[in-house]
Amino acid sequence: MKDEQTMENREENTLQEEAVNEAVQAESAEAQEEAVNGTDSAAEPQASNEEMNRLQALAEENEKRYLRAQADFDNFRRRTQKEKEDLAKYASMKLITELVPVIDNFERAIATAPANAESESFAKGVSMIFRQLEGVLQAEGLTSMETVGQPFNPEFHQAIMQVESEEHEEGIVVEEVQKGYMLKDKVLRPAMVKVSM
């Protein structure tokens, strides 16, 4: 009987030891889990903060790119609009440039017309055609430059020679050799002039 009790006690002790061991293991597992969760929960906010900062930097960079692209597009649109306006404004420039020598020849022809009764009506007709051509070109924005008596300006004048002049001070246009023309606000052809020295 004592042996049976001893065996029962041993079994009981063994069961108690196992229960204690299981409890200790469970507590140890919980402690490890808490330790793991505790470090994870501390690392998780840190990782999420880093991710948040990275995403915020990416958003700022994308916003800067967007603003840059929008500014580039606005500049492109303005430049294209200005080019269209210039194209419309100066569309006839090439044709008028080619007609300017015709105007010069008309003026020379009228200046050298003989002064007799037979050719007077012919010269008058040529003069009328010339005035009509001038009117059409003026409607397109062509104007001749007034140069004599003006200070020499290399943007508008092309000096072909310097002459001595007692009437004008130095640097004044004294004679126009070939007319200069403006198309609206652009120099179409600079005037060839003689300048006082």
Side-chain angles (χ1 to χ4, degrees):
M1 185 128 189
K2 277 189 181 180
D3 286 336
E4 283 180 6
Q5 269 185 346
T6 309
M7 268 182 84
E8 281 179 14
N9 284 341
R10 279 189 198 156
E11 284 178 11
E12 216 175 277
N13 285 343
T14 307
L15 288 174
Q16 283 177 353
E17 282 178 16
E18 285 178 4
V20 169
N21 284 341
E22 284 177 12
V24 168
Q25 285 177 353
E27 282 180 25
S28 174
E30 281 179 20
Q32 284 179 350
E33 191 176 320
E34 279 181 20
V36 168
N37 287 342
T39 52
D40 276 352
S41 62
E44 202 173 286
Q46 186 180 8
S48 67
N49 281 344
E50 288 174 6
E51 182 70 14
M52 187 79 118
N53 290 340
R54 188 183 70 77
L55 291 174
Q56 190 172 5
L58 184 64
E60 287 173 4
E61 183 182 337
N62 286 338
E63 183 180 13
K64 286 178 186 175
R65 282 183 183 172
Y66 164 74
L67 292 174
R68 231 177 288 126
Q70 189 175 15
D72 287 345
F73 180 73
D74 287 345
N75 290 338
F76 170 75
R77 191 180 66 230
R78 271 189 240 114
R79 190 172 52 246
T80 304
Q81 182 67 30
K82 186 175 181 337
E83 287 172 0
K84 280 182 184 178
E85 289 171 2
D86 285 349
L87 184 63
K89 189 175 182 181
Y90 301 109
S92 58
M93 186 173 190
K94 185 177 180 197
L95 177 64
I96 292 174
T97 302
E98 292 177 11
L99 286 174
V100 165
V102 175
I103 294 171
D104 293 339
N105 291 334
F106 259 116
E107 287 176 340
R108 287 186 199 108
I110 291 169
T112 59
N116 60 31
E118 293 173 6
S119 62
E120 189 177 326
S121 61
F122 178 75
K124 192 174 183 180
V126 170
S127 181
M128 287 172 63
I129 294 168
F130 175 64
R131 280 198 302 275
Q132 185 180 11
L133 177 62
E134 271 187 324
V136 169
L137 293 175
Q138 283 175 355
E140 284 295 315
L142 184 72
T143 55
S144 61
M145 294 181 192
E146 295 297 324
T147 56
V148 177
Q150 300 292 320
F152 175 75
N153 184 343
E155 291 180 15
F156 301 107
H157 308 135
Q158 180 180 353
I160 56 169
M161 67 182 346
Q162 285 186 316
V163 293
E164 289 185 17
S165 173
E166 293 181 11
E167 297 175 24
H168 302 284
E169 57 188 60
E170 187 179 338
I172 302 294
V173 175
V174 293
E175 187 182 336
E176 183 179 68
V177 177
Q178 185 182 51
K179 269 190 179 181
Y181 290 97
M182 300 278 293
L183 181 61
K184 295 177 180 160
D185 55 353
K186 245 184 189 176
V187 175
L188 188 67
R189 181 177 80 183
M192 286 183 158
V193 294
K194 294 181 182 178
V195 183
S196 61
M197 53 183 223

